[in-house]
Amino acid sequence: MKVLYIAAVLALTTGIFAGLLMQQDPGYVLFSWGNTTVEMSLWVALILIFTLVVGVHLLLRLLSGIRQPLKVLNLFSAGNKDKRALKATVSGLLLLAEGQWRKSERLLKKSALRSGAPLINYLAAARAAHAQGHNEQTDLMLQKALESTPSAETAVAISQAEFQYERGQYEQCLASLLRLQKKNPKHRWVLKTLLKVYQKLGDWQALQTLYPQLLRYKVLTEAEGQQLQLKLYSELFQQGAQLAKEERISLLQNIWQKMPSELKSNEMLSEAYARALHASGAEGALEKFIAEKLRHQWSDNLVVIYGLLGSGTDSKKLLAQAEQWLKQYGDKPVLHLTLGRLSIRNQLWGKGADYLEASYKLQPMATTAAELSRLYSSMGRTSKSRFYYQACLDLAGYHLPELPMPKDAH
């Protein structure tokens, strides 16, 4: 405001001063060219010269503007629109990072065509739509991304597979991943996501086929690979035990035979295989497997399963084998439990009770107490049966509160 005020005062002062000079002496100017003469006052001539100079200056500026129209029409130029689109894209990406999905999607879609990289806009807009649960809009943005940049098929397909996995669409995700793997078998993200999808679908046989590639392309560390193998074969044994009877035994044995040798010494997998054989009714194969295993290495879990063998086996032979282990490995709670069960299976009631009592003394277990309670009840030894029944409840964590009973009321 001060500048405008000072300029107005100066202009008024200059005007007054020029007016006084014009009245005092208007001056005289004569222009002559051939037979033509032009006469005017000095002040009129000065005004005309000033006007001419200003006009020439403006004309030159105009001609310069015509040669460089971006400077004259900057607000309406394509370049400026591109700059605004780029700015909107950056803002949209920032909003996406901040979790403001709706605003981000709107800005990214609006600026896509002029951003210079529409693929980025559409992929980011698809992610924003996916975060809002707008599945149709997500798929539309992915389609636009592919149309804008056909060479980015892999990037679009990866985004699609990722969204399908997060939606829980594991079958569709698997189909997308298999197409990607066919084009690029070494793609680590694809392999790692395939691992997760197979686990979600419980397709352990497919995962078994995939496992060598996971190691070859270093998708898993050695430790992670070992853990995965333990999980993989445990699940394969469980699934095999659920097949039709005529198929499962041969399948289980085939899985064990093809399993890496270093895993066959793993107690967890040995137990999983033994339980699968037991569930399949393969008593003969199970007896041989456990006997072979215990010939070289002790296993509490396998000894317990050995005591569960029934039909299809020679109970006297089983008892004799277990007594050999007692000589070889000495007193062990689970071995005495198994000896007690096998003695009872041979109807050696007293011997069975002695073995079970010995097991309970070495290590009180709810299972042993339950077996003793059942045996003594059948033998008519009610007091001992009640004692071990209560011991079984206590060991199992069933601590009943003190309540009045009918006998106490009398």
Side-chain angles (χ1 to χ4, degrees), residues 123-142:
L123 286 178
R127 187 166 296 279
H130 170 70
Q132 298 174 79
H134 300 162
N135 294 346
E136 291 184 5
Q137 191 65 20
T138 301
D139 295 338
L140 177 61
M141 290 298 101
L142 290 176

Side-chain angles (χ1 to χ4, degrees), residues 188-206:
R188 295 180 65 193
W189 182 90
V190 173
L191 292 171
K192 191 168 187 177
T193 310
L194 270 173
L195 164 64
K196 295 192 292 184
V197 170
Y198 282 140
Q199 287 178 316
K200 290 289 185 181
L201 293 173
D203 194 345
W204 301 103
Q205 290 184 345

Side-chain angles (χ1 to χ4, degrees), residues 8 35 45 50-51 58 82-83 104 132 143 160 182 226 245 257 303 324 333:
N35 296 325
F50 177 77
T51 303
L58 292 176
D82 291 343
K83 289 180 181 177
S104 172
Q132 298 174 79
Q143 182 61 34
Q160 184 179 46
K182 188 175 181 180
Q226 291 174 352
K245 187 173 182 180
Q257 289 170 3
V303 167
Q324 288 295 319

Side-chain angles (χ1 to χ4, degrees), residues 127-178:
R127 187 166 296 279
H130 170 70
Q132 298 174 79
H134 300 162
N135 294 346
E136 291 184 5
Q137 191 65 20
T138 301
D139 295 338
L140 177 61
M141 290 298 101
L142 290 176
Q143 182 61 34
K144 285 184 175 291
L146 186 58
E147 291 172 357
S148 70
T149 315
S151 60
E153 183 180 358
T154 299
V156 174
I158 285 176
S159 295
Q160 184 179 46
E162 184 179 356
F163 297 153
Q164 288 169 337
Y165 181 84
E166 292 176 2
R167 292 175 193 165
Q169 298 174 335
Y170 301 124
E171 294 287 354
Q172 295 92 321
C173 181
L174 177 60
S176 299
L177 290 170
L178 290 176

Side-chain angles (χ1 to χ4, degrees), residues 336-360 366-389 392:
H336 279 284
L337 171 62
T338 291
L339 284 164
R341 284 172 167 169
L342 293 174
S343 296
I344 294 170
R345 194 171 297 282
N346 284 281
Q347 299 184 18
L348 303 172
W349 321 120
K351 190 174 185 179
D354 290 341
Y355 277 131
L356 291 173
E357 291 275 8
S359 174
Y360 190 82
T367 301
T368 310
E371 290 287 10
L372 283 166
S373 177
R374 179 170 65 169
L375 177 60
Y376 283 135
S377 175
S378 298
M379 294 171 69
R381 302 176 67 175
T382 308
S383 177
K384 277 204 166 189
S385 176
R386 287 177 179 173
F387 171 80
Y388 284 112
Y389 176 76
C392 174

Side-chain angles (χ1 to χ4, degrees), residues 36-93:
T36 303
T37 59
V38 178
E39 298 180 10
M40 64 186 72
S41 68
L42 173 63
W43 299 106
V44 172
L46 291 174
I47 291 172
L48 288 174
I49 293 171
F50 177 77
T51 303
L52 180 62
V53 171
V54 172
V56 171
H57 176 73
L58 292 176
L59 180 61
L60 292 174
R61 290 290 301 273
L62 179 60
L63 292 173
S64 175
I66 292 173
R67 289 196 301 269
Q68 300 179 2
L70 292 177
K71 294 182 179 178
V72 178
L73 304 174
N74 185 51
L75 291 176
F76 306 100
S77 66
N80 190 62
K81 289 181 180 178
D82 291 343
K83 289 180 181 177
R84 292 204 303 273
L86 180 59
K87 185 177 180 181
T89 298
V90 173
S91 298
L93 292 173

Side-chain angles (χ1 to χ4, degrees), residues 218-235:
K218 299 182 179 180
V219 176
L220 299 174
T221 64
E222 187 175 345
E224 289 172 336
Q226 291 174 352
Q227 289 300 314
L228 178 60
Q229 278 194 311
L230 294 178
K231 175 70 174 175
L232 171 62
Y233 283 105
S234 294
E235 294 290 343

